[in-house]
Amino acid sequence: MVGLTRGKIAEGVTFQRILDDVRESINSEEVERLHLLTRKDLHNIKRDFGINSHQLHANDATSVSIFLEQIKDCVLMNKNVIGNVDYSSDNDVMIVLMTDLQCQMLQKFGPKTVCVDSTHCTNVYKLLVTTLLVLDEFGSGIPVAFCVSNKENTTVMTQFFTCVKEKADLIKPSVFMSDDTQIFRCAWARVMGLADNNLLCTWHVDRSWRKNLRKVCGGPQRQTQVYKALSMLLEEPEVDKFGELLELFERELHEDENTKDFGIYFSNTYGFRPQHWGYCHRRSLNINTNMHLEAMHRVLKYCYLDGKTNNRLDKLLLILMKLTRDKFFERIVKLFKGGHSYRLQQIQRRHTESKKIDRGQIAASNDGKHFQLTDV
């Protein structure tokens, strides 16, 4: 019984599937020891026979060192201190990973769009996973480098991007998108130079606005009014009108005692750099949020890590490499079979629908830049 179960565990069969098979085989007239198998028994078998593909050594630090030596061609930096490290000290824990294929993807698609963001809660050491990502011709996100570190500051990110530059050479993207922080943009500018368009993720900007609405006095109704005005401003498609609305919005905030504090926050944080967050400044850039990275980080946490904070760093590093491998196989499937992201599918659907419109229903504006449908 143990040998059969051990074999299934080693093959990667899930515990739930093993338990299902055992319980479906039970005969009401004859219950054997096998039928009393529990999830704890399976964990004990896995532990006693050392069935852990990610564990190259019982000690996590030693296992990490062995694993990084096995994939040394992909390791761009290894400041690896595991165990009793004081993460509040000045000691840097930093591992940078990039495969040759990732390097090629960055060189190919990096000149268009580069996204970067960090995620937490992937390991008990509270190390951050920072991902550098590009968009391929299908509009899908491709991770091109990972940085596992105990800090997220300009110095650490500058080291990360320097490692990337040394392997992939200078990358000058048309669009560089990050969350609502100066850390990534400043570090990238130090190493690669300023991108043509430095954008903030709209989702992060909106979250920051909602969080700071508490600065608005006058109750929930007044806060709702301010938030609606912010949303209209954010989504305004015309540059000239956007500028007028922005000026009017800031003036009204500062003149009203109930919104003055929020007005100071808004002017000091966003008012001076509308080109980073206004929709009108990114209409032709085909990207609005960092959702490709957000989605990938959700897949990492809930599909590869089963929604749990894992106890070992070696497992996290192995999973990052598996995630990279799987992303590239998804791309290969699309290249051979054809395939589009949801966004491209929607564009294609709208294009097909637009071809059904009678030309007589289309009227152009005086400047010839805008069109609208008219009833015939």
Side-chain angles (χ1 to χ4, degrees):
M1 183 269 287
V2 173
L4 178 62
T5 305
R6 181 182 64 181
K8 289 186 176 182
I9 296 175
E11 291 173 2
V13 179
T14 65
F15 284 3
Q16 188 59 51
R17 178 59 185 272
I18 294 174
L19 291 174
D20 287 343
D21 290 344
V22 168
R23 289 162 184 174
E24 287 175 3
S25 67
I26 190 171
N27 187 316
S28 59
E29 298 179 357
E30 185 178 355
V31 177
E32 300 178 359
R33 173 66 183 87
L34 173 64
H35 300 131
L36 304 179
L37 192 69
T38 65
R39 188 175 292 270
K40 182 174 176 56
D41 293 329
L42 296 177
H43 279 291
N44 291 338
I45 293 172
K46 185 176 182 179
R47 179 200 62 206
D48 294 342
F49 288 94
I51 307 174
N52 281 301
S53 59
H54 63 275
Q55 290 188 14
L56 302 176
H57 192 277
N59 178 269
D60 195 12
T62 304
S63 181
V64 169
S65 298
I66 296 172
F67 178 70
L68 292 179
E69 179 62 26
Q70 291 178 349
I71 62 167
K72 59 184 177 181
D73 292 340
C74 307
V75 181
L76 307 189
M77 177 177 286
N78 177 19
K79 290 183 180 179
N80 180 23
V81 183
I82 307 299
N84 297 321
V85 62
D86 180 7
Y87 293 111
S88 63
S89 70
D90 292 331
N91 295 325
D92 285 341
V93 176
M94 188 173 179
I95 300 173
V96 178
L97 303 175
M98 174 188 267
T99 67
D100 290 339
L101 192 53
Q102 285 179 306
C103 179
Q104 294 173 20
M105 293 296 99
L106 176 58
Q107 291 170 334
K108 182 175 182 179
F109 299 109
K112 295 180 180 179
T113 301
V114 169
C115 304
V116 61
D117 197 8
S118 297
T119 187
H120 305 255
C121 304
T122 61
N123 57 92
V124 294
Y125 303 112
K126 298 183 180 180
L127 298 176
L128 302 167
V129 177
T130 303
T131 305
L132 192 67
L133 178 141
V134 296
L135 303 182
D136 65 9
E137 65 268 42
F138 302 107
S140 300
I142 302 292
V144 292
F146 296 106
C147 176
V148 181
S149 63
N150 64 322
K151 298 178 183 177
E152 182 187 272
N153 55 41
T154 304
T155 300
V156 171
M157 290 301 106
T158 298
Q159 289 180 306
F160 175 31
F161 296 143
T162 299
C163 292
V164 171
K165 180 181 178 182
E166 290 174 353
K167 185 174 180 69
D169 208 352
L170 184 68
I171 304 297
K172 296 285 290 183
S174 173
V175 175
F176 180 83
M177 174 167 282
S178 64
D179 63 5
D180 190 8
T181 177
Q182 298 289 339
I183 293 174
F184 297 123
R185 185 176 65 86
C186 290
W188 184 270
R190 284 184 184 180
V191 178
M192 304 287 192
L194 281 172
D196 296 334
N197 300 277
N198 290 277
L199 305 182
L200 297 177
C201 171
T202 299
W203 183 82
H204 285 94
V205 171
D206 181 76
R207 183 179 65 176
S208 177
W209 287 348
R210 285 186 282 108
K211 180 180 179 181
N212 282 277
L213 281 174
R214 64 178 183 272
K215 299 180 185 294
V216 177
C217 302
Q221 184 175 359
R222 189 73 179 105
Q223 293 176 352
T224 300
Q225 291 174 348
V226 172
Y227 182 68
K228 286 182 178 179
L230 284 168
S231 299
M232 290 179 58
L233 185 63
L234 177 69
E235 298 172 2
E236 172 54 48
E238 301 299 329
V239 175
D240 293 340
K241 188 175 181 181
F242 173 84
E244 295 174 0
L245 290 175
L246 177 60
E247 182 180 354
L248 177 62
F249 179 67
E250 288 192 89
R251 184 168 66 248
E252 291 181 347
L253 287 178
H254 288 280
E255 291 176 352
D256 189 336
E257 287 298 323
N258 288 329
T259 60
K260 189 173 183 179
D261 289 343
F262 184 85
I264 294 173
Y265 151 77
F266 179 82
S267 297
N268 292 339
T269 311
Y270 296 99
F272 67 94
R273 50 172 183 163
Q275 69 278 10
H276 291 171
W277 53 269
Y279 174 73
C280 61
H281 293 289
R282 60 179 71 182
R283 290 182 63 187
S284 61
L285 301 179
N286 298 320
I287 186 168
N288 197 33
T289 67
N290 228 353
M291 291 311 295
H292 294 89
L293 262 176
E294 297 290 341
M296 199 202 74
H297 285 159
R298 283 198 298 271
V299 169
L300 170 64
K301 289 181 180 180
Y302 298 105
C303 295
Y304 288 82
L305 293 174
D306 299 322
K308 302 175 182 178
T309 300
N310 76 88
N311 294 321
R312 294 178 62 100
L313 180 59
D314 53 0
K315 181 179 180 180
L316 173 62
L317 297 178
L318 176 64
I319 283 177
L320 290 177
M321 300 306 291
K322 284 186 175 181
L323 174 62
T324 300
R325 177 202 64 191
D326 294 344
K327 285 291 182 181
F328 280 107
F329 270 99
E330 289 177 11
R331 172 174 165 75
I332 290 173
V333 170
K334 290 179 182 178
L335 288 173
F336 280 88
K337 291 187 175 181
H340 299 288
S341 66
Y342 174 78
R343 181 174 178 276
L344 290 181
Q345 289 176 356
Q346 293 300 306
I347 292 175
Q348 182 62 43
R349 180 185 63 79
R350 291 168 184 168
H351 175 69
T352 302
E353 291 296 321
S354 68
K355 291 166 66 176
K356 301 177 183 178
I357 299 174
D358 190 327
R359 290 182 178 272
Q361 294 179 270
I362 303 174
S365 61
N366 294 331
D367 58 11
K369 296 181 179 180
H370 303 86
F371 301 87
Q372 63 181 5
L373 293 179
T374 60
D375 295 328
V376 179

